Amino acid sequence: MTIGLYHYVLLSGLLFALGFFGVLLRRNTLVIYMCLELMLIASTLALVAFSRFNGTMDGNVFVFFILTVAAAEVAVGLAIIVALFRQRQTVQVQDLNHLKN
Amino acid sequence: MSGFMFYILSALTLVCAVGVIVNRNAVNAAMCLLLSLVGVAGLFGLLQAYLLAVLLVLVYAGAVVALFLFIVMLLDVQGGARKPFGKVTAIAATAALALMVAGACTIAGRPEITDAQAAADAIGAPLKNYAYQLFTTYLLPVQVVGFLLLIAMLGVIVLSKRFDGLEDIK
């Protein structure tokens, strides 16, 4: 049983789709943020798989940078969510519609 | 053996990703995210990107999920009534599912690319290759990312600290 590139690409697509459905269907901002992280991880999995089967190094280095940027992004995003919670006392997205009207 | 490990790890990853979505409790969702990340790290190991597997566990499982858990427990927000989905959400979900099925069908029709031709040179494996790439080709991005981390640190401090004297920063 050999595992090829398409297995990894299909798995990455499934993981991305699951993250996307999470972003669509959940109402809690923190869980939406976790699902965003899932989508990011799915894309890095595809990058690593392409890099491996292409025999080049660039995808792996790119994933290295993505991990760094994701760490910074999570810290800033969670700080924004905490600041939002201080202002509004909620993190449910249906209550956070003050820009709408 | 490799195929067996692939299926085990991908099942772990996908099941835990479903667990992130369906869990009502945010703490349980974060735990499922942690397990899913461990599965992805195992897949990185199967792809012979060992450094990235270790970094994923360190950065994501160690720092990011811990940060998530900390914030979830700090804010203490649980549950909330699950409202029915709007029309736009239903249309977007249906379109995404259709795209996903179309992509799977496209992939299934192609001849398989296995790692027979690439098995000899697992070029991403040695640490020396990373160091060489990071300090030659990607030297400028390394500097920019370091600066980005500094900016992020300052931004988090500004966002989370209360400045009583300054009315501008709210």
Side-chain angles (χ1 to χ4, degrees):
Chain A
M1 188 68 195
T2 58
I3 298 299
L5 173 61
Y6 295 137
H7 287 83
Y8 285 100
V9 175
L10 190 60
L11 173 64
S12 160
L14 276 175
L15 201 56
F16 192 90
L18 282 175
F20 180 67
F21 284 123
V23 171
L24 278 181
L25 303 181
R26 291 304 296 260
R27 304 282 172 181
N28 192 335
T29 313
L30 287 162
V31 182
I32 287 175
Y33 212 55
M34 287 180 207
C35 294
L36 280 178
E37 294 304 312
L38 269 185
M39 291 163 77
L40 205 60
I41 283 297
S43 64
T44 62
L45 181 63
L47 266 176
V48 171
F50 280 128
S51 173
R52 169 75 181 89
F53 286 96
N54 203 19
T56 57
M57 186 70 201
D58 298 319
N60 285 4
V61 180
F62 203 70
V63 171
F64 187 86
F65 287 118
I66 288 177
L67 284 181
T68 315
V69 174
E73 170 234 330
V74 165
V76 175
L78 286 176
I80 289 174
I81 290 176
V82 170
L84 198 63
F85 185 79
R86 275 190 192 154
Q87 293 277 326
R88 301 261 177 260
Q89 305 302 316
T90 179
V91 291
Q92 306 290 322
V93 283
Q94 68 265 22
D95 301 328
L96 298 173
N97 54 3
H98 289 260
L99 278 179
K100 205 170 179 180
N101 35 28
Chain B
M1 184 58 197
S2 172
F4 182 68
M5 282 304 289
F6 173 80
Y7 285 117
I8 293 287
L9 286 172
S10 55
L12 173 72
T13 305
L14 289 179
V15 166
C16 292
V18 171
V20 174
I21 298 173
V22 300
N23 251 323
R24 304 296 304 273
N25 193 336
V27 177
N28 289 347
M31 285 302 169
C32 285
L33 179 67
L34 176 65
L35 276 180
S36 183
L37 291 174
V38 168
V40 174
L43 286 168
F44 280 6
L46 278 186
L47 285 167
Q48 301 189 341
Y50 303 115
L51 176 70
L52 290 180
V54 171
L55 277 182
L56 191 74
V57 172
L58 276 179
V59 173
Y60 263 90
V64 169
V65 176
L67 205 56
F68 266 117
L69 281 175
F70 180 71
I71 298 298
V72 167
M73 291 175 179
L74 179 72
L75 298 188
D76 194 23
V77 284
Q78 295 300 338
R82 186 175 294 183
K83 289 172 45 171
F85 309 128
K87 186 189 278 182
V88 180
T89 306
I91 290 173
T94 311
L97 197 64
L99 278 176
M100 185 65 216
V101 170
C105 291
T106 312
I107 285 176
R110 295 289 178 81
E112 184 65 62
I113 296 177
T114 60
D115 59 351
Q117 65 266 39
D121 49 345
I123 199 165
L127 199 57
K128 210 168 101 181
N129 284 342
Y130 282 97
Y132 182 76
Q133 291 276 327
L134 285 180
F135 282 99
T136 54
T137 313
Y138 296 96
L139 187 55
L140 180 64
V142 168
Q143 306 284 331
V144 171
V145 160
F147 194 65
L148 174 79
L149 285 176
L150 177 68
I151 297 285
M153 188 181 75
L154 290 177
V156 168
I157 291 171
V158 169
L159 274 172
S160 53
K161 188 168 166 48
R162 288 182 195 275
F163 293 95
D164 288 333
L166 301 173
E167 294 303 318
D168 296 338
I169 304 170
K170 271 293 172 68

